Amino acid sequence: QQQVKQSPQSLIVQKGGISIINCAYENTAFDYFPWYQQFPGKGPALLIAIRPDVSEKKEGRFTISFNKSAKQFSLHIMDSQPGDSATYFCAASPWGNKLVFGAGTILRVKS
Amino acid sequence: SAVISQKPSRDICQRGTSLTIQCQVDSQVTMMFWYRQQPGQSLTLIATANQGSEATYESGFVIDKFPISRPNLTFSTLTVSNMSPEDSSIYLCSVQAPQGGNGYTFGSGTRLTVV
């Protein structure tokens, strides 16, 4: 069964700290790994995504680290801010196919 | 990336009735996806809708309960039929960006409460 396992379920970080969320997958056919950010009452919004041809991708304060051999990828939020408080979902899919989502991580950044 | 308009944004419905949710995209897309997000949960794919063909449903979802229309490349509807309180969820449509684009875009969702 195609699964994406996400941890932790919830996370509390001090303002200015680093938030780290991890995901692991099983299906080696997956070759697209996005992260989504969802605020209450809103649909998920694409935050950052990576393909397996690179091991890291950075966009501003957000970085994806990808380990193909371990079948793991993670989201790092540097200098975490209260406005980053949201639910974060990792996902995976074969390119052009349906996404499989992780269970989600509720992030709270304390000011 | 595509811009999705989803209607209604929320509704409260009586059990036994049906609700049709509309999803309008500002560009032509091949595949449209319908998801359900139960309170505090992750997203579960209901079905994939291609223009001109029957929707493909995921395990646990059936056409009689969730009929889908896809009349053209910019529009789709999902109907939640014969509703029960267990159908209370957020329903989201999603589209895939063109090859090389920004992945998948989601609508803002329809928050359905069945009483």
Side-chain angles (χ1 to χ4, degrees):
Chain A
Q1 183 180 359
Q2 299 179 352
Q3 282 189 329
V4 178
K5 296 181 180 179
Q6 182 171 347
S7 62
Q9 185 175 15
S10 63
L11 181 62
I12 300 175
V13 174
Q14 291 290 336
K15 179 182 177 182
I18 302 173
S19 304
I20 301 174
I21 305 171
N22 300 298
C23 283
Y25 64 98
E26 300 172 354
N27 190 338
T28 55
F30 290 158
D31 65 355
Y32 174 66
F33 303 92
W35 284 91
Y36 283 85
Q37 179 188 58
Q38 185 178 31
F39 294 105
K42 302 292 185 181
L46 179 64
L47 193 60
I48 187 172
I50 197 168
R51 302 290 302 275
D53 52 339
V54 296
S55 60
E56 185 174 281
K57 183 175 182 179
K58 183 177 180 179
E59 291 184 0
R61 296 185 293 110
F62 301 92
T63 300
I64 298 179
S65 297
F66 182 76
N67 186 329
K68 186 174 181 178
S69 61
K71 292 186 284 186
Q72 296 175 346
F73 58 109
S74 60
L75 176 69
H76 296 234
I77 305 175
M78 311 300 287
D79 186 26
S80 298
Q81 298 297 312
D84 297 328
S85 297
T87 300
Y88 292 81
F89 293 97
C90 64
S93 76
W95 181 254
N97 211 318
K98 56 189 178 184
L99 289 172
V100 178
F101 282 85
T105 296
I106 300 172
L107 171 65
R108 179 186 167 203
V109 181
K110 297 175 65 175
S111 56
Chain B
S1 58
V3 176
I4 300 174
S5 298
Q6 195 172 329
K7 296 181 181 179
S9 58
R10 59 178 62 232
D11 207 339
I12 301 174
C13 300
Q14 296 291 324
R15 70 172 64 205
T17 63
S18 298
L19 176 71
T20 296
I21 302 167
Q22 300 180 3
C23 181
Q24 178 75 53
V25 189
D26 69 344
S27 58
Q28 293 184 339
V29 293
T30 302
M31 289 193 289
M32 297 180 75
F33 304 89
W34 287 98
Y35 287 85
R36 181 175 72 183
Q37 186 176 25
Q38 294 177 305
Q41 302 296 313
S42 186
L43 288 84
T44 301
L45 182 64
I46 298 171
T48 302
N50 291 327
Q51 193 266 337
S53 63
E54 291 288 327
T56 301
Y57 289 82
E58 298 299 306
S59 176
F61 298 96
V62 295
I63 187 171
D64 290 346
K65 177 66 174 178
F66 298 101
I68 289 172
S69 76
R70 183 77 201 276
N72 56 53
L73 291 173
T74 63
F75 187 78
S76 178
T77 66
L78 169 75
T79 299
V80 186
S81 303
N82 188 26
M83 289 184 286
S84 66
E86 292 71 34
D87 294 320
S88 298
S89 290
I90 300 173
Y91 292 85
L92 299 135
C93 69
S94 175
V95 301
Q96 183 186 10
Q99 189 70 17
N102 293 330
Y104 298 81
T105 301
F106 284 83
S108 56
T110 295
R111 183 178 295 273
L112 170 62
T113 302
V114 183
V115 297

